[in-house]
Amino acid sequence: MSVTIKDVANLAKVAPSTVSRVIANSSRISEKTKQRVRAAMEELGYHPNIIARNLANKTTEAIGIVMPSSAGNVFQNPFFPEVLRGISTGAHEKKRAIYMSTGEAESEILREVMQMVQGRRVDGLILLYSKIDDPVLAYLKEQNIPFVVVGKPFKDSEYITYVDNDNFKAGKEATEYLIELGHNRIAFIGGSLDLVVTIDRLTGYDKAIQGAGIPYRSEYVIHEEFLQEGGKEAVCELLSLEERPTALVVADDLMALGVLNTLDEIGISVPEDMSIISFNNVLIAEMARPALTSIDINIFELGYQAVRSLTKKIEASSQPIESIRIPHSIVTRQSCKKR
């Protein structure tokens, strides 16, 4: 026979409504009473029907995670498992489940998000990317459902809560680090120009080049996918130039690994012939040979703070718009050398 709330109430010598409030962790109930009720629940082996309670409260206790398109490729990049670890830790603390979109194409992702929202499967969503003219972002704004973006929105950022690094500053500092080492032929290998993170880091690179009085060379700016293969293709383009660069700013560690491998195959030594600085500071940066100098963007914290911010929005619709900046720092290793 299944145990009911009434059985728990009788054992704990409280009203059934008190048991319900303890399950909901109501602040109206004293800690002493909560402990007594929880002890009774444990003794009787009572497990509350979360789904039924959530239906009654019109809440799901779940948050949706919207991945970028080509979800298959996404998990090749260590950024995403790490940001999801931060989200998972934050969600666990808030006792919230995670519901993830896995669409390949933009249209599939939008359809999945619409199903999440219209099917009331989630109380709010976190977008794990920020790009130009995103239909998902436009849909969420229109639906007036709580959401947070990991990355700076391309437009209307003052009306959208987001968690991000200062990628302009990070791109500028990465380039200035190479300039201080005496390099003036510095190339930039970035990801898709649809992504705001690429635009911001490239703008930072431009600013540093300009600030140092170094002539701007459009052929030194290459855009590929944020994957190892992208790094290989970029290197081949740059090495075919008459005046090769002596240093590279690479927008992502995984891409930088592709760059390293290609340079090694061709017989170009890092850092003797080519210095490299990249972004994200994931484990492969440390394990690469030579180990990569990389900008640590505190990926875990990006995910953790996104959940924290989303939870505040879910619990209080009057919560003001926030832009949360996660600090970054340069982690110096063996891939850069004075010119």
Side-chain angles (χ1 to χ4, degrees):
M1 197 173 78
S2 62
V3 181
T4 66
I5 276 184
K6 279 186 179 174
D7 298 328
V8 176
N10 288 337
L11 182 60
K13 295 184 174 55
V14 295
S17 60
T18 302
V19 177
S20 295
R21 287 193 178 106
V22 171
I23 292 166
N25 202 22
S26 169
S27 56
R28 290 166 61 184
I29 307 297
S30 73
E31 203 51 47
K32 194 177 175 185
T33 303
K34 281 180 183 175
Q35 283 173 6
R36 195 162 82 243
V37 169
R38 283 170 187 153
M41 284 164 69
E42 202 170 320
E43 191 178 322
L44 294 170
Y46 175 75
H47 300 285
N49 185 336
I50 298 294
I51 293 169
R53 179 165 69 82
N54 289 345
L55 284 171
N57 293 345
K58 293 189 173 62
T59 173
T60 66
E61 301 297 331
I63 53 176
I65 310 298
V66 187
M67 306 292 287
S69 52
S70 304
N73 283 347
V74 156
F75 284 109
Q76 291 179 37
N77 193 321
F79 171 88
F80 289 97
E82 183 64 5
V83 80
L84 286 169
R85 193 172 72 85
I87 288 170
S88 179
T89 301
H92 179 73
E93 284 177 12
K94 299 291 182 183
K95 296 186 168 51
R96 289 187 178 271
I98 291 171
Y99 199 113
M100 196 180 300
S101 78
T102 53
E104 286 288 321
E106 197 176 75
S107 56
E108 277 182 64
I109 295 169
L110 180 58
R111 194 163 57 246
E112 285 185 11
V113 169
M114 288 167 85
Q115 285 168 356
M116 278 192 223
V117 173
Q118 288 165 13
R120 304 271 171 90
R121 296 176 190 174
V122 296
D123 295 327
L125 296 99
I126 296 171
L127 270 72
L128 285 189
Y129 63 92
S130 173
K131 65 180 197 176
I132 297 166
D133 297 328
D134 181 21
V136 172
L137 189 69
Y139 173 75
L140 293 177
K141 279 168 72 181
E142 182 191 296
Q143 291 297 309
N144 205 22
I145 184 168
F147 72 93
V148 170
V149 179
V150 173
K152 184 182 163 193
F154 179 63
K155 57 184 179 187
D156 300 331
S157 59
E158 65 273 27
Y159 304 115
I160 296 168
T161 291
Y162 68 93
V163 182
D164 197 18
N165 311 103
D166 186 336
N167 282 299
F168 165 79
K169 193 177 175 196
K172 186 169 176 281
E173 286 174 4
T175 312
E176 284 169 348
Y177 177 76
L178 294 172
I179 292 166
E180 282 162 20
L181 289 176
H183 294 274
N184 58 17
R185 300 209 307 269
I186 303 165
F188 177 90
I189 302 176
S192 166
L193 272 171
D194 278 346
L195 297 173
V196 177
V197 61
T198 303
I199 297 165
D200 282 353
R201 288 177 184 170
L202 175 58
T203 311
Y205 160 87
D206 289 347
K207 192 76 176 169
I209 294 287
Q210 189 186 333
I214 296 168
Y216 180 80
R217 301 168 187 243
S218 57
E219 69 272 22
Y220 276 10
V221 177
I222 311 274
H223 291 284
E224 303 286 355
E225 277 276 328
F226 270 159
L227 293 170
Q228 215 172 324
E229 296 78 32
K232 289 183 179 180
E233 287 166 30
V235 170
C236 293
E237 274 187 63
L238 289 168
L239 294 183
S240 68
L241 296 172
E242 202 171 306
E243 199 165 18
R244 293 174 173 183
T246 62
L248 306 172
V249 177
V250 185
D252 175 88
D253 289 333
L254 188 60
M255 196 185 267
L257 192 63
V259 169
L260 274 179
N261 291 344
T262 308
L263 290 173
D264 185 53
E265 284 165 20
I266 296 166
I268 291 174
S269 177
V270 176
E272 282 74 18
D273 306 321
M274 184 83 75
S275 288
I276 299 175
I277 186 166
S278 60
F279 291 81
N280 296 358
N281 194 40
V282 294
L283 187 60
I284 55 170
E286 207 175 323
M287 292 170 70
R289 287 293 165 265
L292 288 163
T293 291
S294 185
I295 307 282
D296 190 338
I297 60 169
N298 292 301
I299 302 170
F300 176 92
E301 200 62 22
L302 284 166
Y304 184 81
Q305 292 300 333
V307 173
R308 189 183 145 277
S309 191
L310 181 62
T311 305
K312 286 197 287 184
K313 285 174 79 71
I314 291 167
E315 290 171 355
S317 55
S318 59
Q319 181 65 27
I321 299 296
E322 287 184 292
S323 57
I324 299 158
R325 279 284 161 88
I326 304 299
H328 64 268
S329 57
I330 296 179
V331 179
T332 56
R333 296 196 181 94
Q334 288 81 50
S335 65
C336 295
K337 188 183 176 192
K338 277 195 169 182
R339 186 78 181 130

